[in-house]
Amino acid sequence: MGGLIIRPLEAGDHVRWLPLWEGYNAFYGRTGVSALPGEVTQTTWARFMDPAEPVQALVAQHGDELLGLAHYLYHRSTTAIGPTCYMQDLFTADAARGKGVGRALIERVYEDAKAAGAGRVYWQTHETNRTAMLLYDAVAKRSEFLIYSKRL
């Protein structure tokens, strides 16, 4: 997609970022009774704006429109000296799907992670997210590990 810019999220982006964030959460069924509390969204946004936080955010911009987001963080690992990068959220607006926005966001996360000394980038997706997995299979190796979790 010509003219696409991948850049860090800025304070003035909140109004344009919020519909992407809401779209991402709706995609994963976090709406209605299951919706994230507003406090979570506010705290997440505040973390992006705080340079002391390990959480990072990128957006894909075309003209004045934001078309996608990628949120990632660095953490320590018991199997590496340098940090590991976990891409927690990746979302592209419906109108921009299939136009290289997701791939461009992933590639930028790779660049940023490499610059930060990370030896690995990883992420999760739902097993039904087949369309996204076509892209993921092209840009990364699928892990053989399964994820277990428990809400506390």
Side-chain angles (χ1 to χ4, degrees):
M1 173 176 265
L4 185 68
I5 298 167
I6 307 299
R7 62 169 178 78
L9 188 68
E10 299 170 352
D13 292 329
H14 188 266
V15 171
R16 296 180 299 161
W17 166 85
L18 192 56
L20 292 169
W21 176 242
E22 290 171 345
Y24 173 76
N25 285 299
F27 181 83
Y28 282 110
R30 293 186 289 258
T31 59
V33 175
S34 300
L36 287 178
E39 182 182 20
V40 173
T41 294
Q42 293 168 357
T43 300
T44 297
W45 178 263
R47 287 176 177 159
F48 294 146
M49 298 299 113
D50 184 347
E53 286 283 344
V55 182
Q56 309 293 317
L58 298 171
V59 289
Q61 180 175 340
H62 187 262
D64 290 334
E65 191 175 4
L66 297 186
L67 302 177
L69 59 78
H71 304 151
Y72 58 102
L73 57 97
Y74 299 108
H75 65 83
R76 297 196 187 284
S77 171
T78 60
T79 60
I81 294 171
T84 296
C85 180
Y86 173 54
M87 184 170 61
Q88 187 167 8
D89 311 317
L90 178 70
F91 183 75
T92 300
D94 288 341
R97 295 218 174 113
K99 298 180 179 174
V101 175
R103 179 184 294 264
L105 284 161
I106 292 169
E107 293 294 337
R108 175 62 185 270
V109 171
Y110 287 168
E111 290 173 21
D112 289 359
K114 185 175 180 179
R120 181 171 76 104
V121 175
Y122 72 103
W123 62 93
Q124 305 173 48
T125 193
H126 194 274
E127 63 187 351
T128 61
N129 197 358
R130 303 274 183 229
T131 302
M133 285 192 280
L134 293 172
L135 168 61
Y136 301 161
D137 288 342
V139 299
K141 179 181 181 277
R142 189 181 303 201
S143 172
E144 297 166 351
F145 288 90
L146 300 175
I147 298 168
Y148 292 81
S149 72
K150 178 180 171 86
R151 292 228 179 255
L152 304 176

